[in-house]
Amino acid sequence: MSRKFLIAGNWKMNLTPDESAALVDEINSLTGSQTSVQVCVCPPFTSLPVVSSKVEQSEVHLGAQNMHAEPSGAFTGEVSAEMLRSLYVSHVILGHSERRQYFGETNASINSKVIAAINANLRPVFCIGETLEEREAGKTMDVVGAQVREGLVNYPSSALDLLVVAYEPVWAIGTGKTATNEMAQEVHREVRKILSEIFGESAASSIRILYGGSMKPENAAGLLAQPDIDGGLIGGASLSSKSFCDIIEAALSTQA
Ligand code: PEP
């Protein structure tokens, strides 16, 4: 089953609307018309309107970095799936390790968000990954396995075309340390195995599993050449149009 690469940029809590507009203009001009590799940018909430208006005429997709599971109500500081949809957001990062670490998100709360996202026809970019301590204790697959199983409870097979999984070893995020190609592939293969236990082999073979954690132009080609790595979730390197588009170029040549 062939899976189109997805390269998604997580801008985190960076860039004002004006700065976001400038960055997306550059991305649009460098890669906005190609469709061989899917590209998505995930600005902070405050930049979604301007970036939405800029990607409207290009092939670049728009993602958010979080959402609340409830459709509306007394949840100060939160936004709903429907609010994101109204800005033509198509993807939403859920369960990022920074949300788990700093905002108390759990597998159960992330599961509620994943289900709310697909009910609104949003594509969850569902993040999983172990800490350094967990890896050193030999618990990587236990942790990642529980994150997948608990985060995808009640996920309907009928919505699997929306699902994107992102494996991001916590120790590699923003640290400059990348998993080796072999380490990343090993976990991706195991994650696909767990997905096939849940959803069946054929369905699992079409789910995209992105790698994230200090991916940059220098290491992207090697990671993307691995058979179970279907793209990247890029933090730091997505804040420069040159490095982000160089990673897209690496995906284009790997796919070719
Ligand atoms: C991320 O935050 O999803 C990420 C992968 O960050 P970085 O590329 O900076 O490690």
Side-chain angles (χ1 to χ4, degrees):
M1 170 65 70
S2 75
R3 300 177 293 263
K4 190 186 269 199
F5 279 134
L6 169 62
I7 302 294
N10 174 11
W11 295 359
K12 309 197 188 191
M13 194 174 74
N14 293 296
L15 309 183
T16 63
D18 283 352
E19 291 165 342
S20 300
L23 179 56
V24 76
D25 277 345
E26 289 169 16
I27 294 169
N28 269 344
S29 71
L30 288 167
T31 197
S33 57
Q34 67 78 27
T35 54
S36 305
V37 166
Q38 222 171 57
V39 176
C40 179
V41 292
C42 307
F45 290 138
T46 44
S47 291
L48 285 172
V50 68
V51 177
S52 180
S53 69
K54 299 261 178 195
V55 296
E56 204 182 348
Q57 304 299 330
S58 84
E59 298 293 339
V60 174
H61 296 257
L62 181 62
Q65 300 173 19
N66 182 34
M67 55 167 253
H68 198 277
E70 293 298 324
S72 62
F75 300 104
T76 303
E78 295 289 321
V79 304
S80 71
E82 222 33 68
M83 293 170 187
L84 297 179
R85 291 285 310 169
S86 73
L87 292 171
Y88 305 102
V89 168
S90 54
H91 294 64
V92 58
I93 299 171
L94 294 176
H96 191 281
S97 64
E98 288 153 14
R99 302 282 327 163
R100 294 177 189 258
Q101 185 180 352
Y102 304 128
F103 301 97
E105 295 199 4
T106 62
N107 291 340
S109 66
I110 294 159
N111 174 246
S112 308
K113 294 183 182 200
V114 167
I115 300 298
I118 57 165
N119 285 339
N121 214 23
L122 283 170
R123 297 176 179 275
V125 179
F126 165 55
C127 300
I128 54 173
E130 82 288 1
T131 63
L132 184 58
E133 201 181 16
E134 289 160 345
R135 173 163 282 267
E136 287 178 347
K139 291 188 182 152
T140 298
M141 282 325 303
D142 291 345
V143 170
V144 166
Q147 290 172 336
V148 173
R149 289 181 194 283
E150 293 170 27
L152 296 180
V153 167
N154 293 330
Y155 193 103
S157 295
S158 56
L160 280 177
D161 57 323
L162 295 176
L163 179 64
V164 178
V165 177
Y167 168 59
E168 301 205 301
V170 179
W171 48 270
I173 296 180
T175 59
K177 291 184 195 152
T178 323
T180 62
N181 301 337
E182 295 71 25
M183 280 158 87
Q185 166 56 23
E186 190 185 7
V187 180
H188 280 238
R189 187 183 53 234
E190 287 300 312
V191 169
R192 198 174 304 285
K193 205 168 125 205
I194 295 167
L195 292 170
S196 66
E197 284 162 18
I198 305 172
F199 299 112
E201 202 171 322
S202 154
S205 73
S206 47
I207 299 172
R208 282 179 296 187
I209 308 176
L210 314 185
Y211 171 81
S214 299
M215 193 187 263
K216 37 189 184 281
E218 303 81 67
N219 58 26
L223 287 159
L224 295 169
Q226 303 305 308
D228 288 294
I229 298 184
D230 309 312
L233 181 54
I234 325 292
S238 71
L239 293 171
S240 140
S241 57
K242 163 121 182 60
S243 55
F244 187 57
C245 292
D246 282 353
I247 294 172
I248 295 164
E249 278 302 318
L252 282 165
S253 22
T254 310
Q255 194 157 256

